[in-house]
């Protein structure tokens, strides 16, 4: 545990890592758009984080920091029917939309970390 990182900074760090991995998964899906039988995949993070926080509320065990540190994204495969005759179920429009969305979220998260350090510097300097 670092003296300089708060729970919000740790959560933002986890979010940045998740968004980076999400971009890689979408890139892999797009790369395999012409692979017969390929099933697209996606990452989930929010549900696991929500479940860990709900467990903390019910059990009064552990801390929010431990819940944040322990959460990891889960890779899942899309189970919808194939949209093409070759069995590939990757939707190129949806993948590009997800990449754009996660790219914007990534930029916001990086900016949030920068803003946290600006606030720390201001608190230390006093101006």
């Amino acid at each position: 545990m670092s003296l300089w990182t708060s729970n919000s900074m740790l959560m933002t760090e986890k979010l940045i890592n998740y968004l980076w991995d999400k971009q890689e998964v979408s890139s892999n899906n797009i790369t395999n758009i012409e692979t017969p039988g390929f099933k697209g995949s996606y990452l989930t993070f929010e549900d696991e984080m929500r479940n860990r926080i709900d467990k903390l509320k019910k059990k009064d065990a552990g801390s929010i920091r431990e819940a944040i540190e322990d959460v990891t994204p889960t890779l899942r495969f899309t189970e919808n029917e194939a949209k093409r005759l070759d069995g590939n179920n990757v939707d190129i429009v949806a993948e590009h939309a997800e990449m754009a969305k996660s790219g914007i979220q990534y930029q916001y998260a990086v900016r949030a970390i920068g803003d946290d350090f600006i606030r720390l510097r201001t608190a230390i300097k006093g101006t």
Side-chain angles (χ1 to χ4, degrees), residues 42 47 53 88 97 102 114:
Y42 61 96
D47 293 336
I53 290 172
N88 188 309
S102 60

Side-chain angles (χ1 to χ4, degrees), residues 10 15 24-25 38 56 58 61 71 84 88 117:
L10 179 61
L15 176 64
E24 288 181 343
V25 169
F38 182 81
L56 284 176
K58 293 176 185 174
V71 72
R84 299 180 354 199
N88 188 309
F117 281 114

Side-chain angles (χ1 to χ4, degrees), residues 28-71:
N28 183 53
N29 289 343
I30 291 170
T31 300
N32 287 291
I33 192 82
E34 296 297 325
T35 305
F38 182 81
K39 301 297 180 201
S41 56
Y42 61 96
L43 282 178
T44 59
F45 175 77
E46 298 91 345
D47 293 336
E48 186 178 350
M49 188 69 224
R50 189 176 303 113
N51 290 339
R52 289 182 183 269
I53 290 172
D54 288 343
K55 285 179 185 177
L56 284 176
K57 289 178 185 176
K58 293 176 185 174
K59 292 184 180 180
D60 253 356
S63 69
I64 188 73
R65 187 166 192 89
E66 291 170 353
I68 295 170
E69 288 172 343
D70 293 342
V71 72

Side-chain angles (χ1 to χ4, degrees), residues 12 16 45 57 62 67 116:
T12 306
I16 287 171
F45 175 77
K57 289 178 185 176
D116 282 344

